Amino acid sequence: MEIRNIAIIAHVDHGKTTLVDAMLRQAKALGKEEGERILDSFDLERERGITILAKNTAVVWKGVKINIVDTPGHADFGGEVERALSLVEGVLLLVDAAEGPMPQTRFVLRKALEAGLKPIVVLNKVDKKDARPDEVLSLTFDLMVELGATDEQLDFPYLYAVGREGRAWRETPREDLSELFQAILEHIPPPQAAEGPFQLRVANLDHSPYLGRVVVGRVARGRVRKGETVAILKAEGQLQAKVAAVYTHRGLERLEVEEATPGDIVALAGLEGAEIGDTVADLEAPEALPPLRVDEPTVALTLTPNTSPFAGREGRYVTGQKLKERLEKELRTNVALQVLELSPETFELRGRGELHLAVLLETMRREGYEFSVGQPRVLFKDGLEPYERLTVEVPEERLGPVMEALGRRRAEMVHMEVGSRVRAEFLLPARALFGFRSLFLSLTGGEGLLGHTFHGYGPPAGPIETRTTGSAVAMEAGVATAYSLHRLQERVRFFIQPGTEVYVGMIVGEHVRENDLEVNVTTAKKLTNIRAAGSDENIRLIPPKPLSLEEALEFLAEDELLEVTPKSLRLRKKILDPSARKRAVAR
């Protein structure tokens, strides 16, 4: 059977996963009717509406097997994108017909062009009222030229689509995706497998409770059968393992086959010891393929066991040893992550961005881990600091405050388009984005769109003020009362509500001024047997501001920690005792 290998790439929310849903249905690759966003099987993916992990599926169209890899659109998960692109010969580039190319479009497209892959452009969501497909097609061409596409890559086919309705066409609107499938068969080259003994580079890992470790990759050359012994070529040496089973993909399922054929994307079970980037090769002629190259991390944070007065109340895994074991497990599959053990119970996590690290922390939290994390910081390289390319799209009347805020964060505008909404691009230090997302949503009343991607390294930009408010810190342990919160709410935007248990040094809210404020939120109203006029009026509290894990990380100051448990997120000072904290500042 002929094979085509293709990855779907796009900016966040431009419709990749929805289009894959439609392709699976129309190719009749599903055994039963599934819900929407079939490939977003990870809980966090469904909740956030984004793809985090690259996934494999396959359909058969007119006797040709099409392996499809759905990739993340967010630059923070670039490690997943790079692994996915190592498996394919071509890409479907989805671009929103209204929004046009966005920061992550630039990121994923650059990776695909550098890998020499052939693109097919799909202008999606052409049914939008503000769709401008011809203009967006021109912008996409200009972007490819800017990114150094070859003449062959610039001669790309393009289609118009409404992915949600399962429709795509070249000239005349159609009710299905047949022209898209035909474009894949015509323009994506079949895999060119070299002659010689078996070779496969591991691009992903899975686990079977019955067969052990499962490795996923594309067969670079040769064939391998079930029961054969193969060599696993690692940077530090060579292992041997027996192939317990060979699987190929069809729809959402893995089908067991007798042998893996050249060019196909397959899963091999039973290869204990294999890691991402290793080469699985013929035992008699073991030759290694080049290792996967992944961009370096740009953001780091420190993770330690929880040491607050509430430590151990809510988590199952609370010790440094348990944290170490979990991080070592994560390193096997998360190729863009680096972990440094600074001391027996202190770990530095390095990743591609705040979201990359936040998703790992949220996953660990849901698995029952309890820990503390410090303020994120950027990683300098040879004295240079990382810069991001930021794109904002806002109503015209909201642009002024956004420009002012970005000016204070040393952002430089590089492009602007004015229409019904203003779209502007900036270059700014990566650390200037810490805490900016929540400020941006506030400045735009929730109407703004924001995206960013790594641009490169540049000279240090100097001091940047990313937070203009202080912390309200509990000075007494106990249970928060409505009476206390009511008295303080003019000066403090609270994160807690009445009945919340607090400890000394816990951050209970955001002080409206720049300095920290010590507050007592546990004071109860003194009761007397004398009734005074107006003393019994209702207490009206401003609703508390709940923080997500990313928002809490953005809020952190240098002397603060985020306490993460399966049930709670609590902000705290590193030094809990107020007197000791003042002495430390004085020094």
Side-chain angles (χ1 to χ4, degrees), residues 273-542:
E275 304 288 351
I276 289 173
D278 293 347
T279 299
V280 181
D282 185 276
L283 190 61
E284 302 300 321
E287 285 182 58
L289 289 163
L292 285 172
R293 187 181 64 82
V294 176
D295 285 349
E296 295 177 5
T298 58
V299 176
L301 55 77
T302 303
L303 183 146
T304 58
N306 185 15
T307 56
S308 85
F310 294 169
R313 287 190 182 185
E314 299 172 351
R316 279 188 294 159
Y317 310 112
V318 298
T319 64
Q321 182 61 34
K322 289 292 184 184
L323 293 176
K324 181 180 179 179
E325 290 170 4
R326 177 61 180 84
L327 294 173
E328 287 174 347
K329 176 184 173 186
E330 184 68 22
L331 285 171
R332 295 173 194 161
T333 56
N334 196 335
V335 294
L337 179 73
Q338 293 180 8
V339 177
L340 304 181
E341 189 172 354
L342 304 182
S343 74
E345 292 199 333
T346 304
F347 307 93
E348 181 174 271
L349 309 188
R350 296 182 170 187
R352 294 286 282 268
E354 268 188 300
L355 182 60
H356 179 211
L357 296 178
V359 165
L360 169 59
L361 299 179
E362 180 67 34
T363 303
M364 290 174 62
R365 175 192 181 196
R366 295 184 182 203
E367 291 171 357
Y369 289 85
E370 183 176 311
F371 47 87
S372 293
V373 292
Q375 181 190 43
R377 60 181 180 83
V378 297
L379 295 167
F380 284 67
K381 181 181 180 183
D382 300 327
L384 303 176
E385 72 170 305
Y387 277 71
E388 298 273 326
R389 177 182 285 264
L390 172 74
T391 299
V392 299
E393 188 176 304
V394 297
E396 192 171 355
E397 65 274 11
R398 304 271 190 176
L399 182 64
V402 173
M403 293 277 288
E404 185 180 342
L406 286 170
R408 290 197 301 268
R409 292 167 182 252
R410 302 182 183 269
E412 176 190 345
M413 183 186 287
V414 293
H415 181 69
M416 178 185 273
E417 296 175 25
V418 180
S420 57
R421 289 164 65 89
V422 179
R423 180 172 171 183
E425 292 187 13
F426 301 84
L427 293 182
L428 77 172
R431 57 195 164 99
L433 288 172
F434 293 162
F436 181 69
R437 186 177 295 275
S438 52
L439 174 63
F440 175 77
L441 292 174
S442 174
L443 293 174
T444 61
E447 295 184 60
L449 296 173
L450 175 150
H452 59 90
T453 188
F454 178 66
H455 176 71
Y457 287 88
I464 297 174
E465 191 178 84
T466 58
R467 180 172 152 190
T468 58
T469 58
S471 299
V473 187
M475 56 191 293
E476 296 284 347
V479 177
T481 65
Y483 176 71
S484 290
L485 300 185
H486 181 257
R487 287 191 307 120
L488 293 164
Q489 64 183 359
E490 286 186 6
R491 292 183 290 163
V492 177
R493 178 73 189 276
F494 282 105
F495 303 148
I496 63 170
Q497 57 190 4
T500 302
E501 192 176 359
V502 302
Y503 53 81
V504 176
M506 178 174 158
I507 297 169
V508 294
E510 184 177 14
H511 186 206
V512 294
R513 296 187 179 177
E514 293 182 12
N515 61 301
D516 289 347
L517 179 69
E518 302 278 342
V519 295
N520 185 355
V521 294
T522 65
T523 306
K525 183 178 178 182
K526 289 186 171 54
L527 301 177
T528 70
N529 58 1
I530 300 173
R531 238 181 121 141
S535 63
D536 289 332
E537 71 267 14
N538 290 331
I539 291 177
R540 294 185 178 178
L541 294 176
I542 298 170

